[in-house]
Amino acid sequence: MAIKEYRKGVCVQLAENFKTTEFDCNGKGCCSKTLIDEKLVEYLQTIRDHFGKPVKISSSYRCEIHNPKVGGVKLSLHLKGMAADITIEGVEPAEVAKYAESIGVKGIGLY
C-alpha cells in the first residue's frame, strides 16, 4: 500500500463507494493536490461494507495551509492523507470506532 497524489477536484474512483474528491482538502484556494493513503481507503470500504451504510467523510487530506486553520496539530496524519474524520448516519461513533479498531485501524479519536 502507498500514499498516492491526485489532483484536487478531479474525480477518480478509488473503491466501490469512494472517490478522490471525498478526500480533498476543504480549504479554498490553498492547494491543488490531494494525498490519499490506499490503506485508508481499504479500511473505509471495509467499514462501509460492514455497516451497509454510506460513510460520510467530513475531513481527510489537509494541506499545510488549511490544517492549522481548523486546529490541526503540526504532525497530523491528515497532512499525509492518512486520516479521515467520518460519520455513519444512525450508527454511534463509539460503535464505528470499536469496529474500526477491530480491523486494525490505529489512532482513532472520538469527537
Side-chain angles (χ1 to χ4, degrees):
M1 294 290 167
I3 296 172
K4 290 193 171 183
E5 183 175 318
Y6 297 89
R7 196 158 165 234
K8 184 177 179 177
V10 176
C11 187
V12 176
Q13 194 76 37
L14 296 170
E16 183 179 349
N17 299 105
F18 294 95
K19 297 175 180 163
T20 54
T21 49
E22 296 175 79
F23 296 82
D24 283 351
C25 178
N26 291 329
K28 303 294 181 220
C30 54
C31 59
S32 61
K33 69 178 180 182
T34 299
L35 299 178
I36 304 171
D37 182 3
E38 291 178 317
K39 187 69 177 171
L40 174 62
V41 176
E42 183 181 300
Y43 281 140
L44 292 174
Q45 186 62 55
T46 300
I47 291 166
R48 165 65 168 87
D49 294 344
H50 174 78
F51 288 103
K53 295 181 174 189
V55 172
K56 182 180 183 313
I57 300 171
S58 58
S59 179
S60 188
Y61 174 69
R62 296 182 197 148
C63 72
E64 294 82 9
I65 296 168
H66 184 66
N67 188 57
K69 291 181 179 178
V70 294
V73 296
K74 197 173 192 173
L75 298 176
S76 172
L77 291 177
H78 286 277
L79 292 164
K80 298 178 180 181
M82 298 173 69
D85 299 339
I86 64 169
T87 55
I88 300 174
E89 190 174 329
V91 182
E92 288 296 318
E95 187 179 350
V96 176
K98 183 178 177 182
Y99 178 71
E101 188 174 48
S102 78
I103 62 170
V105 177
K106 305 283 187 227
I108 298 168
L110 289 173
Y111 307 99

